[in-house]
């Protein structure tokens, strides 16, 4: 596979690294940090400028879950459900970014 360093490939690689870092951070940090919201802002900007790379539904689901987690609207089993949903959204975004990096 011949992979050239283009601005698009570098951006996708940085977003993929940030996605994987966010997955790890979600298990190690408190839930009320602002970094995930900044990540989703960057991901939404990428989604706006490069449509068709990532399915928007996964990004929007991740944003909603991150907002629920940031403002700690509920606890208990609902919190576990929201955390699992965000993890699923992040993994799917990572898969889509990985596929975009292959091309």
């Amino acid at each position: 596979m011949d992979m050239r360093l283009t601005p698009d490939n570098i951006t996708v690689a940085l977003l993929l690294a940030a996605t994987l870092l966010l997955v790890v951070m979600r298990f190690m940090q408190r839930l009320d940090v602002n970094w995930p919201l900044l990540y989703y802002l960057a991901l939404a900007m990428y989604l706006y400028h490069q449509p068709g790379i990532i399915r928007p539904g996964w990004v929007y689901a991740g944003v909603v879950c991150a907002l629920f987690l940031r403002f700690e609207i509920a606890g208990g089993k609902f919190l576990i459900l929201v955390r699992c949903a965000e993890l699923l959204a992040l993994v799917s975004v990572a898969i889509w970014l990985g596929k975009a990096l292959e091309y």
Side-chain angles (χ1 to χ4, degrees):
M1 171 171 31
D2 182 28
M3 187 164 160
R4 295 192 171 91
L5 288 178
T6 63
D8 290 335
N9 287 345
I10 293 171
T11 304
V12 170
L14 287 174
L15 278 174
L16 182 60
T19 303
L20 298 175
L21 181 65
L22 183 59
V23 169
V24 172
M25 282 176 47
R26 274 302 192 191
F27 290 106
M28 300 179 80
Q29 285 189 341
R30 297 185 333 239
L31 293 176
D32 60 349
V33 294
N34 289 328
W35 292 111
L37 297 177
L38 293 174
Y39 161 77
Y40 282 116
L41 176 66
L43 190 62
M45 289 184 344
Y46 177 75
L47 184 67
Y48 177 74
H49 289 290
Q50 297 290 331
I53 302 292
I54 305 169
R55 291 192 177 169
W58 291 109
V59 177
Y60 301 145
V63 168
V64 170
C65 290
L67 288 171
F68 272 123
L69 292 174
R70 169 63 179 97
F71 296 111
E72 298 178 12
I73 292 174
K77 292 184 181 183
F78 182 73
L79 181 68
I80 293 170
L81 178 70
V82 171
R83 288 182 86 163
C84 290
E86 186 191 25
L87 183 63
L88 180 66
L90 286 171
V91 167
S92 66
V93 166
I95 290 170
W96 284 101
L97 287 172
K99 287 182 181 180
L101 198 58
E102 290 177 358
Y103 296 117

